[in-house]
Amino acid sequence: MSSVSVCTDIVIGDLGVGKSSIISRYINGRFTEGYKASVGVDFALKTIDLDSKTVVRLQLWDIAGQERFRKMSRVYYKEAMGALVVFDVTQSSTLEAASVWKQDLDTKVCLDSGHPIPAVLLANKCDLTGRDEDDLVSTLDGFCKDNCFLCWFESSAKDNINIDEAGAFLVKQMMLCD
Ligand code: GDP
């Protein structure tokens, strides 16, 4: 018999970094250029067979067009058990913004232990960059340490790179905190 857990993840980051596209790719397996799923869609559901004994019902919340303040209300974060914080690798200002988003998150929600909820940084649109691995790796390793991210993934909603992997990693971390 399988056990069923319900997990809630939020996806945050600046406008245009690819949040809706990541959700659409993760949930529907699709990417549509210029597709704006966040209009009128606040959350999506996905069922994951984590292992032979565990089924996870994942709710994924999109901030649905409220990015301009780089702050969300405490109510919005209340149910969050994990976060994907997204930036666009072609726009360095969105990496700085990721740190502001993460601070906002950590001041408004934490685990019962007082630790930050598990959060993963997504360096999205990696299909658009040339490979300058060493630089990116050391910058993002340091950034994750400074901003209390568990880890980072290069991702592309367009080319389906590391979206499932990042989602699965976060769910596993959330189950450990449960
Ligand atoms: P949001 O505002 O953060 O929800 O961003 P969207 O998902 O609406 O994406 C903004 C734009 O970036 C759209 O034109 C998407 O097609 C494009 N986009 C999203 N993810 C990727 C990606 O991984 N690679 C490329 N090349 N474009 C992307």
Side-chain angles (χ1 to χ4, degrees), residues 61-73:
W61 285 82
D62 192 356
I63 57 174
Q66 297 177 60
E67 294 93 340
R68 84 199 134 96
F69 306 111
R70 289 187 179 151
K71 274 181 186 218
M72 298 298 290
S73 83

PDB file of all heavy atoms in Angstrom, residues 61-73:
ATOM      1  N   TRP A  61       2.415  26.636  -6.960  1.00  0.00           N
ATOM      2  CA  TRP A  61       1.779  27.961  -7.023  1.00  0.00           C
ATOM      3  C   TRP A  61       2.618  28.918  -7.848  1.00  0.00           C
ATOM      4  O   TRP A  61       3.831  29.032  -7.679  1.00  0.00           O
ATOM      5  CB  TRP A  61       1.616  28.528  -5.613  1.00  0.00           C
ATOM      6  CG  TRP A  61       0.501  27.866  -4.884  1.00  0.00           C
ATOM      7  CD1 TRP A  61       0.555  26.670  -4.225  1.00  0.00           C
ATOM      8  CD2 TRP A  61      -0.838  28.329  -4.762  1.00  0.00           C
ATOM      9  NE1 TRP A  61      -0.684  26.374  -3.701  1.00  0.00           N
ATOM     10  CE2 TRP A  61      -1.548  27.366  -4.001  1.00  0.00           C
ATOM     11  CE3 TRP A  61      -1.510  29.478  -5.201  1.00  0.00           C
ATOM     12  CZ2 TRP A  61      -2.896  27.517  -3.689  1.00  0.00           C
ATOM     13  CZ3 TRP A  61      -2.849  29.625  -4.881  1.00  0.00           C
ATOM     14  CH2 TRP A  61      -3.530  28.653  -4.143  1.00  0.00           C
ATOM     15  N   ASP A  62       1.932  29.638  -8.703  1.00  0.00           N
ATOM     16  CA  ASP A  62       2.571  30.677  -9.516  1.00  0.00           C
ATOM     17  C   ASP A  62       2.173  32.029  -8.917  1.00  0.00           C
ATOM     18  O   ASP A  62       1.047  32.178  -8.446  1.00  0.00           O
ATOM     19  CB  ASP A  62       2.026  30.552 -10.950  1.00  0.00           C
ATOM     20  CG  ASP A  62       2.815  31.381 -11.952  1.00  0.00           C
ATOM     21  OD1 ASP A  62       3.736  32.105 -11.532  1.00  0.00           O
ATOM     22  OD2 ASP A  62       2.504  31.295 -13.140  1.00  0.00           O
ATOM     23  N   ILE A  63       3.064  32.984  -8.938  1.00  0.00           N
ATOM     24  CA  ILE A  63       2.725  34.275  -8.318  1.00  0.00           C
ATOM     25  C   ILE A  63       1.873  35.152  -9.231  1.00  0.00           C
ATOM     26  O   ILE A  63       1.491  36.243  -8.874  1.00  0.00           O
ATOM     27  CB  ILE A  63       3.953  35.046  -7.807  1.00  0.00           C
ATOM     28  CG1 ILE A  63       4.959  35.283  -8.924  1.00  0.00           C
ATOM     29  CG2 ILE A  63       4.580  34.317  -6.660  1.00  0.00           C
ATOM     30  CD1 ILE A  63       6.095  36.159  -8.474  1.00  0.00           C
ATOM     31  N   ALA A  64       1.577  34.621 -10.423  1.00  0.00           N
ATOM     32  CA  ALA A  64       0.533  35.183 -11.266  1.00  0.00           C
ATOM     33  C   ALA A  64       0.567  36.705 -11.429  1.00  0.00           C
ATOM     34  O   ALA A  64      -0.371  37.414 -11.091  1.00  0.00           O
ATOM     35  CB  ALA A  64      -0.831  34.726 -10.738  1.00  0.00           C
ATOM     36  N   GLY A  65       1.678  37.177 -11.944  1.00  0.00           N
ATOM     37  CA  GLY A  65       1.717  38.584 -12.352  1.00  0.00           C
ATOM     38  C   GLY A  65       1.926  39.596 -11.238  1.00  0.00           C
ATOM     39  O   GLY A  65       1.762  40.788 -11.430  1.00  0.00           O
ATOM     40  N   GLN A  66       2.299  39.107 -10.035  1.00  0.00           N
ATOM     41  CA  GLN A  66       2.472  40.085  -8.939  1.00  0.00           C
ATOM     42  C   GLN A  66       3.950  40.361  -8.655  1.00  0.00           C
ATOM     43  O   GLN A  66       4.330  40.733  -7.558  1.00  0.00           O
ATOM     44  CB  GLN A  66       1.812  39.550  -7.678  1.00  0.00           C
ATOM     45  CG  GLN A  66       0.321  39.370  -7.853  1.00  0.00           C
ATOM     46  CD  GLN A  66      -0.308  38.773  -6.612  1.00  0.00           C
ATOM     47  OE1 GLN A  66      -0.235  39.351  -5.546  1.00  0.00           O
ATOM     48  NE2 GLN A  66      -0.903  37.616  -6.767  1.00  0.00           N
ATOM     49  N   GLU A  67       4.791  40.211  -9.691  1.00  0.00           N
ATOM     50  CA  GLU A  67       6.235  40.272  -9.475  1.00  0.00           C
ATOM     51  C   GLU A  67       6.763  41.656  -9.169  1.00  0.00           C
ATOM     52  O   GLU A  67       7.830  41.802  -8.604  1.00  0.00           O
ATOM     53  CB  GLU A  67       6.985  39.781 -10.718  1.00  0.00           C
ATOM     54  CG  GLU A  67       6.810  38.325 -11.065  1.00  0.00           C
ATOM     55  CD  GLU A  67       5.686  38.101 -12.048  1.00  0.00           C
ATOM     56  OE1 GLU A  67       4.812  38.994 -12.168  1.00  0.00           O
ATOM     57  OE2 GLU A  67       5.673  37.051 -12.700  1.00  0.00           O
ATOM     58  N   ARG A  68       6.018  42.692  -9.544  1.00  0.00           N
ATOM     59  CA  ARG A  68       6.704  43.980  -9.572  1.00  0.00           C
ATOM     60  C   ARG A  68       7.162  44.464  -8.206  1.00  0.00           C
ATOM     61  O   ARG A  68       8.073  45.266  -8.108  1.00  0.00           O
ATOM     62  CB  ARG A  68       5.884  44.983 -10.382  1.00  0.00           C
ATOM     63  CG  ARG A  68       4.832  45.712  -9.819  1.00  0.00           C
ATOM     64  CD  ARG A  68       3.933  46.228 -10.957  1.00  0.00           C
ATOM     65  NE  ARG A  68       2.573  45.978 -10.584  1.00  0.00           N
ATOM     66  CZ  ARG A  68       1.822  46.896 -10.019  1.00  0.00           C
ATOM     67  NH1 ARG A  68       2.262  48.119  -9.881  1.00  0.00           N
ATOM     68  NH2 ARG A  68       0.616  46.587  -9.626  1.00  0.00           N
ATOM     69  N   PHE A  69       6.562  43.971  -7.131  1.00  0.00           N
ATOM     70  CA  PHE A  69       6.962  44.443  -5.795  1.00  0.00           C
ATOM     71  C   PHE A  69       8.122  43.628  -5.210  1.00  0.00           C
ATOM     72  O   PHE A  69       8.684  43.993  -4.194  1.00  0.00           O
ATOM     73  CB  PHE A  69       5.763  44.386  -4.853  1.00  0.00           C
ATOM     74  CG  PHE A  69       4.580  45.124  -5.389  1.00  0.00           C
ATOM     75  CD1 PHE A  69       3.439  44.464  -5.796  1.00  0.00           C
ATOM     76  CD2 PHE A  69       4.623  46.511  -5.528  1.00  0.00           C
ATOM     77  CE1 PHE A  69       2.364  45.155  -6.317  1.00  0.00           C
ATOM     78  CE2 PHE A  69       3.547  47.208  -6.048  1.00  0.00           C
ATOM     79  CZ  PHE A  69       2.415  46.529  -6.452  1.00  0.00           C
ATOM     80  N   ARG A  70       8.432  42.513  -5.833  1.00  0.00           N
ATOM     81  CA  ARG A  70       9.430  41.577  -5.300  1.00  0.00           C
ATOM     82  C   ARG A  70       9.133  41.201  -3.854  1.00  0.00           C
ATOM     83  O   ARG A  70      10.022  40.927  -3.046  1.00  0.00           O
ATOM     84  CB  ARG A  70      10.849  42.135  -5.416  1.00  0.00           C
ATOM     85  CG  ARG A  70      11.315  42.163  -6.846  1.00  0.00           C
ATOM     86  CD  ARG A  70      12.746  42.545  -7.007  1.00  0.00           C
ATOM     87  NE  ARG A  70      13.111  42.531  -8.413  1.00  0.00           N
ATOM     88  CZ  ARG A  70      14.048  43.295  -8.946  1.00  0.00           C
ATOM     89  NH1 ARG A  70      14.745  44.117  -8.191  1.00  0.00           N
ATOM     90  NH2 ARG A  70      14.323  43.237 -10.223  1.00  0.00           N
ATOM     91  N   LYS A  71       7.867  41.273  -3.528  1.00  0.00           N
ATOM     92  CA  LYS A  71       7.420  40.905  -2.182  1.00  0.00           C
ATOM     93  C   LYS A  71       6.056  40.275  -2.322  1.00  0.00           C
ATOM     94  O   LYS A  71       5.268  40.704  -3.148  1.00  0.00           O
ATOM     95  CB  LYS A  71       7.213  42.162  -1.332  1.00  0.00           C
ATOM     96  CG  LYS A  71       8.428  42.655  -0.673  1.00  0.00           C
ATOM     97  CD  LYS A  71       8.090  43.872   0.153  1.00  0.00           C
ATOM     98  CE  LYS A  71       9.403  44.374   0.658  1.00  0.00           C
ATOM     99  NZ  LYS A  71       9.570  44.869   1.846  1.00  0.00           N
ATOM    100  N   MET A  72       5.795  39.286  -1.497  1.00  0.00           N
ATOM    101  CA  MET A  72       4.459  38.701  -1.509  1.00  0.00           C
ATOM    102  C   MET A  72       3.925  38.775  -0.086  1.00  0.00           C
ATOM    103  O   MET A  72       4.679  38.930   0.869  1.00  0.00           O
ATOM    104  CB  MET A  72       4.537  37.230  -1.942  1.00  0.00           C
ATOM    105  CG  MET A  72       5.082  37.022  -3.331  1.00  0.00           C
ATOM    106  SD  MET A  72       4.086  37.787  -4.616  1.00  0.00           S
ATOM    107  CE  MET A  72       2.640  36.749  -4.574  1.00  0.00           C
ATOM    108  N   SER A  73       2.594  38.656   0.038  1.00  0.00           N
ATOM    109  CA  SER A  73       2.051  38.731   1.386  1.00  0.00           C
ATOM    110  C   SER A  73       2.351  37.425   2.125  1.00  0.00           C
ATOM    111  O   SER A  73       2.553  36.375   1.512  1.00  0.00           O
ATOM    112  CB  SER A  73       0.552  38.989   1.349  1.00  0.00           C
ATOM    113  OG  SER A  73      -0.113  37.770   1.152  1.00  0.00           O
TER     114      SER A  73
END
